[in-house]
Amino acid sequence: MTGLSGEQERFGEFVGVQRHGYVAELVLDRPKAMNAVSTDMARSIAAACDALGADPGVRVTVVTSSHERAFCVGADLKERNSFTDAELVRQRPVARGAYTGVLELPMPTIAAVHGFALGGGFELALACDLIVADRTAVVGLPEVSVGVIPGGGGTQLLPRRVGAARAAELVFTARRVEAAEAAALGLVDQLVDSGQDREEALALAARIAGNSPVGLRAAKRAMRLGHGLDLRAGLEVEDAAWRSVAFSGDRAEGVAAFNEKRAPQWPGE
């Protein structure tokens, strides 16, 4: 990642990354197809995530959309319809790379959702740690209605977010959920006024980015690795993460800044 804050780096035709200080904005930018994820777009998402994950200057990533009526409508079914079985098999790891790329980003991630976030589009949001949605948002995993299953992490991420029975109802019915119900069910974390999802997500990201980058990444790692373990094993994961930060420059600076009653200047190491 290079360039001054506000400049955009392109990853292929359909993905851009823009810097806002310590916050990176990953922009889904295939407006003619409402951000339907084609093979080329999947490669670009994965490449952008690789670059962001390797950049120690990124403390938070926000995933946004350039389309005014959609976050992402999921897989490019027109492209899929042209595939032979062999081509679909070859495309599968490319598609997975986009979703796992977002899921495995080491820093906190926020999805800014408006309009349609369906199928793989909602799975990209679910791969983030937090979802900010505006009142136009419509989310859902409709894959069983076209003869497949959620394959971008949905069958695993949705139950972790809302519980097994609620996830089963949503996946099995393939229904679309509008913003107010989505917030009530916990499908999204913050509901904001129409047109404010990006602004509010970036503001939230800026607040998070004021904290220790070493601490943020270790806290995310502990929560991700510890999820689903029994308490004793989870506490061991937490202890390992604590030990990874306890003797860091960020810890020393944080304690010093607290005692000196000043804002910390995080070394990020």
Side-chain angles (χ1 to χ4, degrees), residues 2 11 25 29-31 33 43 49-50 66 87 104 115 136 148 151 161 175 205 222 237 246 251 255 264:
T2 60
F11 291 83
E25 180 182 3
D29 188 25
R30 195 187 177 204
R43 287 196 184 98
C49 289
D50 284 344
S66 66
E87 287 170 335
E104 294 178 358
T136 70
V148 291
R161 176 174 272 271
R175 71 184 179 94
V237 169
R251 198 278 310 176
V255 172

Side-chain angles (χ1 to χ4, degrees), residues 50-77:
D50 284 344
L52 290 169
D55 188 344
V58 178
R59 298 182 184 177
V60 186
T61 294
V62 179
V63 183
T64 69
S65 162
S66 66
H67 195 284
E68 63 182 14
R69 293 189 295 110
F71 175 73
C72 173
V73 294
D76 186 340
L77 296 184

